[in-house]
Amino acid sequence: MMKKTVLLGAALFLVISPLETVMANDNGASAANTAQAISKQGMFTNAVVERTKDGTIKLHWQTIADLGPVKVYWSANPDGGWKELARTYASFGGLSTADPNPGSRVYFKIKGGNGAMIKTAERLLPLQGTTNFRDLGGYRTTDGKTVKWGKLFRADELAGLSASDISYLQKSGLKTIVDYRTDDEVKQKPDPTIAGMKYVRNPVFGQSGSGTDLMNYMAAGEFEKMGKPGDVLIAANRDMVDHPEAYVKLFDMMLDPARADLVQHCTAGKDRTGLGSALMLLALGVPKETVVQDFMLSNKYRETYNKAAVGAMVKQFNLTDENAIEIIKALMDVRPEYINAAFDEMASKYGSIQGFLEKGIGLSTDKQAKLKKMYLE
């Protein structure tokens, strides 16, 4: 039953846009004494990139102390090839610019007069055919390193990608598309074939199931069979921890340089993909609090869609009961209790999140060290 229920969530979930904040990066301080010196002089603590409706790119940054003159660089490659874009002052807190790389992914490096530096990029990719395709880069780990930009992505369904979207992704360096959806979902909205990318079917809930039972419950007005608002997805997150085979396969791909630089996706990019993203970040040493913040971003990106979808279902099923409407809203949302149910299940079955990574996923200390070497800077 629970396997079917989460699939309803997936089947209902399309998605929406905006973007979010980036965690700080301190690439300019590699040695301990340099780090201490920069800390005394000042450093960047955060940098965010936003795109306006007319395509203008706005960079915002925060610093400790005034870093004086600032140089801003851009590149299509987060690992190098930087070109100077602008010169300004740290005290201005940011700048607006035309897109220096239209139709392609662009990364920014901001360097202060004292050598302090931070990399950043748009978290949400500016694609026409998806609404929740985002980069997991920029998050700070507990040991002060940062998840590399442009290596690990999470997304919703890809069936709506336009020709320009596909061109954008081909230029991004992506190697692998990991699809968590069921056979029924894939059959209804298959991913496009993208030259240069390996497509991997990796269903979280096996080969079948479509959430038909839940749709029938709603159509019949039998919302009591779905429990309290949120119960379906709380149970689903526990179930995903109890049956982690798809995530074991995910990490096998992450550890393979030939398949690294990947995007994992489901239908909405919020539940199955949400747990996969959480596991990725946790294995790299990102704090649980930050992981939950990333999980919750889907509400921001989906906000407009969720309102429209809930309204449409209320009309379709002629709902007046507030509890029934709240159940539908809960299916469309992500909530802290959903991902925390997964964490609680890990602790219950494996003693801790780390225990789950080691025993449930099979990530030895050596494998986790390799992941960090591959995806952190």
Side-chain angles (χ1 to χ4, degrees):
M1 160 78 176
M2 278 310 133
K3 292 184 180 181
K4 292 182 179 179
T5 55
V6 72
L7 295 173
L8 164 77
L12 292 176
F13 305 150
L14 296 170
V15 274
I16 180 64
S17 34
L19 83 156
E20 208 270 354
T21 178
V22 177
M23 303 305 289
N25 186 352
D26 185 12
N27 296 328
S30 55
N33 57 347
T34 306
Q36 291 175 359
I38 287 183
S39 180
K40 289 179 181 178
Q41 298 173 46
M43 60 183 288
F44 292 98
T45 58
N46 193 32
V48 178
V49 181
E50 297 176 334
R51 182 181 295 263
T52 63
K53 290 182 179 180
D54 67 2
T56 300
I57 289 179
K58 293 189 174 184
L59 283 79
H60 306 276
W61 57 74
Q62 296 174 337
T63 66
I64 295 175
D66 185 352
L67 305 186
V70 162
K71 291 183 179 180
V72 179
Y73 302 86
W74 76 271
S75 177
N77 181 350
D79 300 322
W82 299 101
K83 304 175 184 68
E84 186 173 319
L85 176 67
R87 298 188 183 193
T88 183
Y89 291 91
S91 59
F92 290 172
L95 65 85
S96 295
T97 179
D99 188 341
N101 195 31
S104 300
R105 188 82 171 127
V106 61
Y107 302 90
F108 297 94
K109 181 170 69 174
I110 307 159
K111 188 173 183 180
N114 69 336
M117 187 163 49
I118 190 168
K119 288 181 187 178
T120 187
E122 291 176 88
R123 187 161 300 287
L124 182 77
L125 274 61
L127 303 174
Q128 299 171 8
T130 68
T131 51
N132 202 16
F133 199 128
R134 60 199 212 241
D135 196 324
L136 288 173
Y139 288 124
R140 179 72 67 88
T141 65
T142 54
D143 60 359
K145 294 187 177 181
T146 305
V147 179
K148 292 180 180 179
W149 287 98
K151 307 297 180 185
L152 301 172
F153 296 86
R154 55 176 296 171
D156 52 322
E157 63 188 17
L158 306 182
L161 289 175
S162 67
S164 60
D165 290 341
I166 290 173
S167 174
Y168 181 101
L169 293 175
Q170 286 174 315
K171 296 173 187 175
S172 71
L174 276 175
K175 298 175 185 174
T176 307
I177 297 171
V178 182
D179 190 345
Y180 291 140
R181 298 176 301 161
T182 65
D183 284 349
D184 286 349
E185 291 171 282
V186 172
K187 203 173 295 181
Q188 290 172 20
K189 293 187 176 182
D191 281 6
T193 299
I194 302 179
M197 297 185 200
K198 172 83 172 178
Y199 174 78
V200 180
R201 285 279 290 113
N202 189 26
V204 169
F205 289 106
Q207 297 296 333
S208 61
S210 63
T212 302
D213 286 351
L214 287 185
M215 290 299 292
N216 289 339
Y217 293 154
M218 288 192 286
E222 298 175 334
F223 284 86
E224 69 280 357
K225 293 184 178 180
M226 298 164 65
K228 294 180 293 185
D231 279 358
V232 167
L233 293 180
I234 288 172
N237 272 274
R238 291 178 180 146
D239 193 45
M240 288 188 284
V241 171
D242 293 339
H243 302 89
E245 294 82 6
Y247 301 119
V248 173
K249 188 174 179 179
L250 171 69
F251 279 101
D252 287 343
M253 287 182 275
M254 283 182 67
L255 288 161
D256 181 357
R259 292 191 174 185
D261 298 1
L262 59 82
V263 57
Q264 28 133 25
H265 84 93
C266 52
T267 292
K270 76 178 190 72
D271 297 304
R272 290 163 287 186
T273 300
L275 182 59
S277 302
L279 294 174
M280 282 178 165
L281 295 175
L282 290 165
L284 294 173
V286 175
K288 186 169 75 170
E289 294 76 14
T290 304
V291 171
V292 173
Q293 290 169 11
D294 180 80
F295 179 79
M296 294 298 295
L297 285 181
S298 288
N299 281 343
K300 183 177 182 180
Y301 303 150
R302 291 170 50 84
E303 182 178 6
T304 301
Y305 172 78
N306 281 356
K307 288 180 179 178
V310 170
M313 283 187 282
V314 167
K315 184 176 180 179
Q316 177 184 352
F317 299 119
N318 194 27
L319 298 179
T320 56
D321 180 71
E322 284 301 320
N323 184 65
I325 295 171
E326 287 303 314
I327 287 174
I328 289 177
K329 287 179 179 178
L331 285 170
M332 304 304 296
D333 284 348
V334 288
R335 299 182 178 184
E337 53 263 38
Y338 300 167
I339 192 66
N340 283 327
F343 297 151
D344 290 345
E345 190 74 359
M346 293 175 200
S348 173
K349 296 293 177 66
Y350 297 91
S352 64
I353 292 173
Q354 181 62 26
F356 175 72
L357 291 173
E358 292 177 2
K359 299 172 187 175
I361 300 296
L363 290 178
S364 64
T365 301
D366 287 345
K367 286 183 178 180
Q368 290 184 55
K370 182 179 179 181
L371 286 171
K372 291 176 180 179
K373 187 175 181 180
M374 291 175 70
Y375 296 105
L376 298 181
E377 59 186 7

